[in-house]
Each structure stands twice: as structure tokens, then as C-alpha cells.
């Protein structure tokens, strides 16, 4: 995908990145190429490959509909800003996502991944601008059906940063969805060594953050909370959709600071993300926690039912 705005910048009157109503210019398609995913396309000199220097988004696709398309694009633009990447053309990226999904054989659920890297060091595009590399691919993703109903055992692990790391040290890029997920994956291997399937990361000063690839949501009676995103964590698109559903059920919702001790007192805990949708937590650090089956079923039905 040619992910930079067309030569001359965005047309006058075009809103800033993150716009939710933009239409796709007819010639956008010329900037997108469908290629054989089995053939090589990325050079070994690409900074996304050599340094993990780039950003990505994973879109859930249910019955052919890309879920939370605009919130994902907004978050991609925010990640690009945090990494000082060039401003991206979200219209062409949106079109590329939709084309990629269209090109896949229809399945009940798919996962679509959009990647943008800093490109090859020193390389510029035809107009002399730093050239990013961008691609989109769609595949069936992992099968989460069992976890969605049976739940997961979770351990808490120290992320090693204070909860205010995004304010004190923005160069650590906490809160950006960067390609550097080697640590996030190492966290899962540590969970497996401890006999668990998933993790809740905790700040070095004792606040609950997020999963390595998910947002944590906790219910206390008729109040549902999630860790506030100013603690160097991602704003979850699935969590946002879940909170809209919880509010429609008459529950109150809030972004909070949560200690591990308080986490253990919850009436229900879930990990949310685009691919898995929602998964209940059934144990925390080896101790069973209540599983709220009714809310689990209602939430999952709502999240899977999203068609935009
Ligand atoms: N937090 C992290 C670190 C993630 O990687 C993800 C998704 O991959 C999430 C939260 C959940 O975000 P979303 O619900 O938008 O998929």
C-alpha cells in the first residue's frame, strides 16, 4: 500500500487523521496492489524487519464485516504520531483493509492485520518524502471459541515500568501499538511456565495495566471498570464497544487506577481484544475468581454481533 497522502498533501478541507466520515477517493485503488502472500515482498533492509520499528492494527472480521474499523484507524494514527512517523493516508489504508478482507474466502471469523513500518533507512518515495512500508493481510486467526466460554487462567506479571511511564518517558512508546511485540510474546511463554494461559501486566508501582494483547475489564456489582489509558496502555477498541453495551444494560462504566488487591475482589473479570472478543478469567495467580456466566454470554453475543 502506498500509505502516504497523495502528492500535494490532503485536499483542502480534508479533516485531520482520525476522521470517521471520510469517503474513499476513486483513484485510491491505484495505490493498492493485491499480491501473492506466499511470495516475498519486504526487503531485508526494512526497519520494520531489522528493528521492529513500525506500528500495526489487528481488525476482527465477523461474517465479512470489519469491526471497529474507524477506531482502529484512529489508534493507528495515534501510534504513528507517537513514533514520529509521517502522517498516514487513512483513506487508502481503510480501502486496503476492506480489499484484503474481500479477497479472502468468506469464513465466519477472520483477522485482518495492517502493518506500517518506517520503511528502508534513508529511502524516499517518488516525491522525496520518507517512504513508509505498509501492507495488509487477512487470515483465519487463532480459534478462541473454547476460551470464550471456558475462560483462562491468568497470572499477574510486573511490566517493570511505573504507571505514569507515558508521561515521564514518552520515548519508551508505552501506549503505542508498535511492531515490537517480542516482549509481549515472551510474557505468554512466562505465563505457560507458570501454568497459565494469559497475563495481566502490573506496573512497578502496583497498578493493574492490561494483557499483553488485550484489555482488562472488571465488574464490581453494577459498576464496570477498566484501567485508565493514561497509564501507558492501549485504548482497546473492543473494550470501548463492551462499555457501550454495559451502559445499555444500565451498568456504570469508568476508567480507573486498580490495584492487584482490588482486582481480586471483582465479581467478574474479562480480557478483551479484536480477535478473541471477550474471554472470562477463571483464576488469578492460582486462585479461582468468580466467573459471571450471564454477563460473559451476553457480552460475547454483543461483541460478535458487531457489523461495523
Ligand atoms: N492491549 C494490547 C497491548 C493489545 O495488543 C491489544 C490488541 O491487540 C489490546 C490491548 C486490545 O485492543 P483491541 O480491543 O483494540 O484489539
Amino acid at each position: 500500500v502506498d500509505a502516504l497522502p497523495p502528492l500535494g498533501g490532503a485536499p483542502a478541507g480534508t479533516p485531520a487523521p482520525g476522521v470517521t466520515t471520510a469517503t474513499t477517493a476513486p483513484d485510491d485503488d491505484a495505490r493498492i496492489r493485491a499480491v501473492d502472500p506466499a511470495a516475498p515482498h519486504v526487503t531485508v533492509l526494512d526497519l520494520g524487519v531489522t528493528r521492529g520499528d513500525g506500528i500495526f492494527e489487528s481488525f476482527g472480521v465477523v461474517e465479512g464485516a470489519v469491526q471497529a474499523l474507524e477506531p482502529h484507524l484512529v489508534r493507528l494514527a495515534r501510534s504513528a504520531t507517537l513514533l514520529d512517523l509521517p502522517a498516514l493516508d487513512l483513506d487508502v489504508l481503510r480501502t486496503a483493509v476492506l480489499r484484503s478482507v474481500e479477497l479472502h474466502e468468506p469464513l465466519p471469523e477472520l483477522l485482518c492485520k495492517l502493518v506500517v513500518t518506517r520503511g528502508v533507512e534513508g529511502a524516499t518515495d517518488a516525491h522525496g518524502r520518507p517512504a513508509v512500508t505498509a501492507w495488509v493481510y487477512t487470515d483465519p486467526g487463532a480459534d478462541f471459541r473454547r476460551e470464550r466460554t471456558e475462560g483462562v487462567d491468568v497470572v499477574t506479571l510486573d511490566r517493570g515500568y511505573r504507571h505514569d511511564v507515558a508521561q515521564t518517558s514518552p520515548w519508551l512508546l508505552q501506549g503505542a501499538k508498535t511492531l515490537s511485540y517480542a516482549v509481549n510474546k515472551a510474557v505468554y511463554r512466562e505465563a505457560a511456565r507458570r501454568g497459565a494461559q494469559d497475563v495481566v501486566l502490573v506496573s512497578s508501582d502496583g497498578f493493574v495495566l492490561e494483557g499483553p494483547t488485550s484489555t482488562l475489564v472488571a465488574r464490581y456489582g453494577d459498576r464496570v471498570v477498566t484501567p485508565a489509558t493514561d497509564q501507558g496502555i492501549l485504548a482497546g477498541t473492543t473494550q470501548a464497544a463492551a462499555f457501550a453495551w454495559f451502559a445499555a444494560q444500565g451498568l456504570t462504566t469508568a476508567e480507573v487506577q486498580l490495584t492487584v488487591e482490588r482486582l481480586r475482589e471483582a465479581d467478574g473479570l474479562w480480557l478483551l481484544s479484536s480477535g478473541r472478543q471477550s474471554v472470562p478469567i477463571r483464576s488469578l495467580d492460582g486462585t479461582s475468581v468468580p466467573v459471571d456466566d450471564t454477563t460473559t454470554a451476553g457480552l460475547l453475543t454483543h461483541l460478535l454481533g458487531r457489523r461495523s
Side-chain angles (χ1 to χ4, degrees), residues 11-307:
T14 299
V19 62
T20 57
T21 55
T23 53
T24 303
D27 62 351
D28 274 349
D29 275 5
R31 302 168 59 199
I32 301 167
R33 250 177 342 125
V35 293
D36 176 2
H41 301 289
V42 180
T43 146
V44 294
L45 299 176
D46 194 287
L47 292 166
V49 176
T50 57
R51 292 186 188 152
D53 194 350
I55 55 178
F56 76 102
E57 285 293 326
S58 293
F59 304 76
V61 181
V62 179
E63 307 288 359
V66 181
Q67 299 185 310
L69 178 57
E70 300 307 327
H72 277 292
L73 291 174
V74 168
R75 193 169 66 187
L76 183 84
R78 180 172 139 57
S79 295
T81 302
L82 287 169
L83 267 72
D84 302 309
L85 286 168
L88 301 173
D89 187 334
L90 297 186
D91 286 346
V92 78
L93 292 173
R94 178 188 299 107
T95 303
V97 166
L98 295 172
R99 281 276 305 280
S100 170
V101 171
E102 264 168 32
L103 287 170
H104 198 282
E105 68 165 310
L107 291 175
E109 289 187 55
L110 294 167
L111 198 67
C112 175
K113 189 162 174 177
L114 164 61
V115 175
V116 180
T117 83
R118 200 177 296 280
V120 175
E121 191 157 11
T124 51
D125 70 4
H127 314 303
R129 300 174 298 183
V132 299
T133 307
W135 67 88
V136 184
Y137 68 90
T138 301
D139 67 22
D143 183 353
F144 290 109
R145 280 175 299 181
R146 200 165 150 190
E147 291 166 28
R148 286 172 183 164
T149 50
E150 291 185 7
V152 285
D153 302 305
V154 163
V155 287
T156 55
L157 292 180
D158 182 2
R159 190 173 67 165
Y161 296 132
R162 285 190 316 270
H163 76 285
D164 57 354
V165 62
Q167 288 77 49
T168 60
S169 319
W171 50 87
L172 293 179
L173 303 179
Q174 297 302 304
K177 197 164 168 68
T178 77
L179 285 179
S180 315
Y181 262 43
V183 168
N184 304 50
K185 293 296 172 182
V187 163
Y188 281 118
R189 293 194 295 275
E190 180 60 25
R193 280 191 282 273
R194 298 179 185 213
Q197 300 90 51
D198 220 314
V199 172
V200 168
L201 294 164
V202 178
S203 69
S204 58
D205 50 353
F207 293 102
V208 171
L209 300 171
E210 62 186 343
T213 61
S214 64
T215 309
L216 176 82
V217 168
R219 184 177 73 75
Y220 299 88
D222 59 5
R223 187 163 189 260
V224 180
V225 300
T226 193
T229 54
D230 61 3
Q231 298 171 103
I233 61 177
L234 280 190
T237 64
T238 319
Q239 170 268 318
F243 269 30
W245 180 78
F246 282 122
Q249 307 305 301
L251 301 172
T252 58
T253 58
E255 288 197 15
V256 296
Q257 284 187 351
L258 202 61
T259 61
V260 178
E261 295 68 40
R262 184 75 182 119
L263 191 65
R264 297 190 201 289
E265 297 164 5
D267 299 315
L269 294 169
W270 296 269
L271 293 175
L272 270 50
S273 68
S274 299
R276 90 196 71 189
Q277 307 281 344
S278 71
V279 164
I281 296 178
R282 62 185 177 199
S283 78
L284 202 54
D285 293 326
T287 304
S288 295
V289 292
V291 176
D292 174 350
D293 287 327
T294 310
T295 306
T296 296
L299 178 61
L300 182 61
T301 302
H302 169 71
L303 293 175
L304 279 170
R306 292 176 295 154
R307 292 294 178 270

